[in-house]
Amino acid sequence: MNERKMGMKVILTALNAKYIHSSLALRSLKAYADPSGKYTTVKEYTINNRIERVVSDIYKEKPDIIGFSCYIWNIEMIRAIASRLKKVLPCTVMVFGGPEVSYDAPEFLEKNPSADIVIKGEGEKTYKNLLAAWAEGSEDYGGIRGIVYRKHGRVFENENEEPLKLDDIPFVYTEVAELKNKIIYYETQRGCPYNCQYCLSSVEKGVRFLSPERVQSDLQFFLDNHVRQVKFVDRTFNCNHEHAMRIWKYLMEHDNGITNFHMEITADILRNEAVELLKDAREGLFQFEIGVQSTNEKTIEAIKRNTGFGGITKAVQKISQSGNIHQHLDLIAGLPFEDYESFARSFNDVYALEPEQLQLGFLKLLKGSGLRQDAQKYGIVYADEAPYEVLYTKELSFDEVLKLKDIEEMTETFLNSGKALNAVKYAIELSGNPFGFFEKLADWWSGKGYFEISHSKLELYGRIFDFFKQYPPGLKDLRTVKELLRYDILLGDNIKTVPKCLERTMSEEEKQFEREFYTENENIEKFIPKLGEYTPKQLLRMCRIEFFDIDTKTKQKGYSAVLFDYYDRDIISNKAKAYVVLKR
């Protein structure tokens, strides 16, 4: 025990879902309890790392305490890692925290012999008190709130810790170099005023907010450091109108022209005052995620969502009119009373709102959630292991769930990614059935065995063109979809070759037009003023003018030349800016 007191080492570790993610929770624990890092080191991995690599890396540190941040996407891997580490570091104290272990902490401790302590709920103050005990060489945990612990083979559960004032938690970011090219997460509130039955955020009653002064100070740090994207983890960003308005106003007034802020909002409570304010935001400054989940009224009532699709529609359409805010709309498959046909209607309803992304998710029966408690009532059957995803329901068979999985992958690959956005939208416009389009595409893709293999970008374009050639409604004018696919390719990359089936040979007259275009100063000033310092020869390599046998904007017959500026990309989609420089 004295050795621990003299040189105690604590490792807090997270297994993030992707490399671009970062752990706000662990940084918050360290900032509150051990800001100098005297005892605490944060180590992050991803669920794609090999278990052996994570175990080896942590073992070499010979820590006295290891803390694991547990979520539905990483708990199974964490169990395996902790089990191995306990065998090779038997004296190391293993601490688990996070939403996946908080709800049934005593049961988790009973079933996991590698676990010594579980932190229940909000962990900053609890971790600070544990750290103080460890630093003193004490293993008397009886007076530490917010934990369940094992002692002499028995499990003890202490009373919960009181929630903190959010201003008492220091700002977790001191520099951003370590988070370059990663999403930075930030919170201004904890709790949720709603009672959605698939979610755990409603378990904590009431909502706590950071003070306006603190929020502005934190946001200015992101602005000053030109962070690319900040993602608010606030469950309902605009649940307090005044709080949201203050933040939007501040970010608009102090916009650095670079940073994007992602917020999850409830659309149907968005007031006209907010809509009017947001009209003047820079394109790319804000990105909204809006949970629709279903447009089936009976389903919405069952999950206590308390949102009307009519209100969502009005808000989304108002935001869309300005064209300056990307909107991501979410649906969840597997909810009560939503069968395959009902989900198809929900999909089409949401697609009609023309969001920048239409995200399909599958119901997860989280521990402690209302739907998990009512699973038998609603006939929901789900996997026993995390992430407890729905297998089938009374209304939705397992075959249909699998089919929706394929449709989700096709939607992600060809719509949300933007890879074939214009061509897909054109085909859907002709068919009049968005869900039906992706359903047929998924069936065709499966029939070809394409779900089982990886594809390069160019292979994806070639293969979806093959699908278009036999798409059941019949694309009589394949020329248009072919041109739109080539347009989609060039929006993403300045490549010299396209799939053979999409090739178009430039005439000598067109080549001359491109060469001469960059020699005219008025062309440079009008379309690419930021590249004015470069020579025509350099611009010929940096940009691209491509000719199309259609009007790319109206998708009608015609002829157009489009300039692609790869040095001025959309901040969210990363697509090149495109300008029509000739049309007839």
Side-chain angles (χ1 to χ4, degrees):
M1 193 62 68
N2 288 333
E3 287 185 16
R4 178 179 296 168
K5 183 176 178 180
M6 293 297 294
M8 182 178 66
K9 180 185 288 188
V10 183
I11 287 179
L12 299 181
T13 187
L15 300 176
N16 300 320
K18 296 180 180 179
Y19 173 77
I20 61 169
H21 296 173
S22 59
S23 175
L24 175 61
L26 297 189
R27 287 175 171 81
S28 188
L29 293 179
K30 182 174 181 289
Y32 182 82
D34 189 15
S36 68
K38 181 179 180 181
Y39 303 118
T40 309
T41 299
V42 171
K43 295 180 78 69
E44 295 181 87
Y45 308 92
T46 79
I47 56 175
N48 296 314
N49 289 130
R50 291 185 301 110
I51 289 176
E52 293 80 3
R53 182 229 156 173
V54 178
V55 170
S56 171
D57 195 50
I58 294 176
Y59 171 79
K60 289 174 183 177
E61 298 283 343
K62 300 296 193 296
D64 299 289
I65 297 100
I66 304 173
F68 297 96
S69 181
C70 304
Y71 294 85
I72 55 174
W73 65 79
N74 66 18
I75 186 62
E76 301 302 333
M77 189 170 173
I78 281 177
R79 287 180 205 266
I81 290 169
S83 176
R84 296 189 192 187
L85 283 171
K86 194 65 172 179
K87 290 178 180 178
V88 295
L89 295 170
C91 295
T92 296
V93 178
M94 303 285 186
V95 185
F96 294 72
E100 180 53 23
V101 297
S102 285
Y103 177 74
D104 62 349
E107 182 182 349
F108 180 84
L109 211 59
E110 293 278 9
K111 291 182 176 180
N112 293 274
S114 60
D116 298 302
I117 300 172
V118 174
I119 295 178
K120 299 185 296 177
E122 195 168 278
E124 286 89 356
K125 193 171 182 180
T126 299
Y127 177 60
K128 185 172 185 176
N129 292 334
L130 280 170
L131 204 58
W134 293 328
E136 291 298 319
S138 172
E139 292 182 349
D140 181 7
Y141 302 134
I144 298 178
R145 292 182 173 188
I147 65 169
V148 178
Y149 63 99
R150 192 194 318 275
K151 188 173 184 179
H152 303 311
R154 294 178 58 198
V155 171
F156 298 86
E157 182 172 12
N158 295 352
E159 62 183 11
N160 293 337
E161 184 56 86
E162 291 295 318
L164 285 168
K165 293 181 179 178
L166 294 193
D167 276 53
D168 291 342
I169 303 172
F171 184 54
V172 306
Y173 302 106
T174 55
E175 53 88 24
V176 296
E178 64 170 337
L179 294 171
K180 187 178 180 182
N181 300 323
K182 292 193 176 187
I183 298 171
I184 291 183
Y185 296 94
Y186 176 63
E187 67 177 348
T188 69
Q189 56 184 267
R190 287 185 181 177
C192 182
Y194 301 107
N195 193 32
C196 303
Q197 295 298 284
Y198 53 83
C199 182
L200 286 183
S201 295
S202 60
V203 172
E204 179 188 337
K205 302 304 178 185
V207 185
R208 289 168 288 148
F209 297 89
L210 273 178
S211 66
E213 298 76 20
R214 170 62 188 280
V215 171
Q216 291 180 7
S217 173
D218 294 350
L219 293 176
Q220 195 57 51
F221 174 86
F222 298 132
L223 295 167
D224 291 342
N225 283 276
H226 289 184
V227 170
R228 183 169 180 81
Q229 185 178 59
V230 176
K231 192 166 186 176
F232 285 74
V233 297
D234 304 341
R235 296 309 302 157
T236 306
F237 178 79
N238 63 322
C239 66
N240 181 297
H241 173 72
E242 288 72 24
H243 177 79
M245 288 291 287
R246 277 195 301 268
I247 293 175
W248 284 328
K249 285 179 181 177
Y250 186 85
L251 293 175
M252 289 171 65
E253 291 169 359
H254 297 80
D255 182 18
N256 61 14
I258 296 172
T259 308
N260 164 257
F261 294 89
H262 178 109
M263 297 129 175
E264 186 171 340
I265 71 165
T266 295
D268 62 335
I269 65 169
L270 193 68
R271 300 184 189 177
N272 286 331
E273 181 187 8
V275 174
E276 290 302 314
L277 171 73
L278 293 167
K279 284 181 179 178
D280 296 324
R282 166 180 61 85
E283 183 179 357
L285 176 59
F286 299 127
Q287 179 175 307
F288 291 164
E289 183 172 345
I290 299 169
V292 179
Q293 319 315 4
S294 171
T295 65
N296 183 321
E297 291 184 5
K298 195 173 181 181
T299 298
I300 294 299
E301 182 180 354
I303 63 176
K304 299 182 181 178
R305 180 70 178 143
N306 298 326
T307 57
F309 186 61
I312 292 174
T313 298
K314 289 177 183 177
V316 169
Q317 289 174 338
K318 286 179 181 178
I319 295 170
S320 296
Q321 287 173 4
S322 301
N324 60 340
I325 297 176
H326 277 229
Q327 298 183 87
H328 297 185
L329 272 55
D330 301 340
L331 289 172
I332 297 178
L335 293 172
F337 306 116
E338 181 113 88
D339 60 17
Y340 189 82
E341 289 71 27
S342 172
F343 188 83
R345 287 192 294 272
S346 291
F347 185 102
N348 286 344
D349 289 340
V350 172
Y351 183 91
L353 296 180
E354 300 183 10
E356 275 67 34
Q357 290 204 10
L358 199 174
Q359 299 175 157
L360 276 62
F362 292 80
L363 179 64
K364 314 290 192 296
L365 278 294
L366 305 179
K367 294 177 181 178
S369 67
L371 281 185
R372 182 157 176 150
Q373 295 171 18
D374 290 337
Q376 189 171 0
K377 168 185 172 182
Y378 290 120
I380 301 173
V381 178
Y382 59 95
D384 294 330
E385 68 284 347
Y388 317 114
E389 192 167 276
V390 63
L391 295 173
Y392 63 90
T393 72
K394 282 194 297 187
E395 293 84 14
L396 195 67
S397 70
F398 185 53
D399 285 314
E400 290 168 332
V401 169
L402 293 178
K403 200 166 184 177
L404 290 177
K405 289 272 188 180
D406 289 347
I407 291 169
E408 185 268 339
E409 187 170 336
M410 291 294 92
T411 303
E412 196 63 35
T413 301
F414 291 111
L415 185 70
N416 292 340
S417 71
K419 285 189 179 70
L421 184 64
N422 291 285
V424 164
K425 284 188 171 183
Y426 172 73
I428 290 174
E429 185 179 333
L430 292 181
S431 73
N433 184 356
F435 183 84
F437 171 83
F438 286 107
E439 182 181 46
K440 288 182 172 65
L441 175 58
D443 287 343
W444 183 84
W445 206 259
S446 177
K448 293 288 185 179
Y450 288 159
F451 283 115
E452 314 305 321
I453 61 176
S454 60
H455 314 266
S456 69
K457 285 183 182 179
L458 294 187
E459 285 173 337
L460 284 173
Y461 285 107
R463 283 165 183 165
I464 196 171
F465 184 60
D466 287 342
F467 168 74
F468 282 134
K469 286 191 287 188
Q470 58 84 65
Y471 180 42
L475 293 174
K476 296 177 182 178
D477 186 6
L478 273 176
R479 181 186 63 175
T480 300
V481 77
K482 174 181 176 181
E483 294 292 89
L484 288 172
L485 277 173
R486 191 158 52 87
Y487 180 72
D488 285 326
I489 292 174
L490 295 174
L491 279 173
D493 300 286
N494 185 12
I495 57 175
K496 300 306 177 186
T497 58
V498 299
K500 194 170 184 63
C501 59
L502 303 178
E503 285 179 349
R504 179 190 182 279
T505 303
M506 287 176 64
S507 67
E508 288 303 319
E509 181 183 358
E510 289 169 342
K511 292 178 182 177
Q512 183 178 353
F513 175 90
E514 183 180 24
R515 289 192 297 269
E516 293 179 351
F517 181 87
Y518 298 116
T519 65
E520 299 291 338
N521 288 333
E522 61 183 277
N523 290 337
I524 307 304
E525 291 172 5
K526 181 178 180 180
F527 296 107
I528 47 175
K530 293 180 181 179
L531 302 180
E533 62 185 280
Y534 296 97
T535 67
K537 190 174 182 180
Q538 289 172 319
L539 291 173
L540 197 60
R541 293 195 303 270
M542 295 167 66
C543 300
R544 180 171 186 148
I545 292 178
E546 187 75 10
F547 297 84
F548 297 89
D549 297 322
I550 60 168
D551 182 328
T552 55
K553 298 300 179 185
T554 65
K555 302 179 181 63
Q556 301 298 315
K557 291 181 179 180
Y559 177 82
S560 59
V562 178
L563 168 66
F564 295 92
D565 180 3
Y566 297 99
Y567 290 80
D568 185 16
R569 291 176 176 267
D570 182 278
I571 194 169
I572 299 174
S573 69
N574 201 37
K575 296 292 185 182
K577 293 292 179 66
Y579 307 95
V580 177
V581 295
L582 176 68
K583 184 168 66 172
R584 60 174 181 256

